[in-house]
Amino acid sequence: MKTIIFVCHGNICRSPMAEFIAKEIDKERRYEYISRATSLEEIGNDIYYPAKVTLTNHHIPYTHRGAKRITLEEFQNAYKVFIMDKNNYSYLKRLFPGEDFSKVSLLGKDEIEDPWYTDRFEKVYQEIKTSI
């Protein structure tokens, strides 16, 4: 099965929201969806509480999970890697120099803001859902 990876900075807000929204939309499970971080800051932490509330408000099921940083093997084996902002791209380039980045693209038409800083979880949810 082909794997699609959603990537954000800490893997506690945007990328897990995208993972669980995609899983809910793709009921046939044509792809495996996972989410990962570019940083080590939140490793092991569950989805940020306001992101959980937003998913719950939209009847999107999610599971308890610990944030994980993307590995080289995951990156190499991914069918597609969707990033939330240009900083994610820069971090991936530093993590995996020399790798093929043709499978990497922004999830949305533009960058999807980090609601950790803006507290606009509903806006981010709508952008992610529309983009998927």
Side-chain angles (χ1 to χ4, degrees):
M1 181 177 291
K2 294 179 180 178
T3 301
I4 294 176
I5 305 175
F6 298 103
V7 175
C8 70
H9 184 75
N11 191 222
I12 61 168
C13 294
R14 296 172 291 175
S15 61
M17 288 174 74
E19 173 187 347
F20 291 114
I21 292 167
K23 286 177 176 176
E24 182 65 13
I25 291 171
D26 183 14
K27 300 268 190 195
E28 297 172 14
R29 294 291 196 268
R30 294 172 293 182
Y31 300 97
E32 175 186 18
Y33 301 100
I34 63 173
S35 61
R36 295 292 185 261
T38 58
S39 76
L40 296 171
E41 294 169 31
E42 298 288 346
I43 300 306
N45 291 336
D46 196 11
I47 303 170
Y48 190 47
Y49 182 73
K52 289 181 182 182
V53 169
T54 304
L55 292 173
T56 299
N57 289 343
H58 290 280
H59 310 288
I60 303 293
Y62 58 87
T63 57
H64 175 78
R65 50 179 296 290
K68 295 179 184 175
R69 187 182 201 185
I70 189 169
T71 67
L72 177 58
E73 182 178 0
E74 289 170 333
F75 184 83
Q76 290 173 332
N77 293 329
Y79 171 67
K80 193 78 178 151
V81 177
F82 289 108
I83 57 174
M84 303 297 156
D85 60 48
K86 293 173 186 164
N87 285 333
N88 302 150
Y89 187 84
S90 297
Y91 286 123
L92 287 175
K93 288 294 265 187
R94 281 188 238 145
L95 286 172
F96 310 127
E99 290 298 316
D100 177 13
F101 274 71
S102 63
K103 63 181 140 195
V104 178
S105 62
L106 283 171
L107 178 62
K109 290 184 282 182
D110 296 309
E111 295 181 308
I112 296 176
E113 69 185 55
D114 191 341
W116 171 264
Y117 300 104
T118 66
D119 203 35
R120 296 193 294 204
F121 286 87
E122 181 61 29
K123 177 181 186 273
V124 167
Y125 170 86
Q126 294 299 334
E127 289 176 359
I128 289 170
K129 184 174 181 195
T130 299
S131 298
I132 291 173

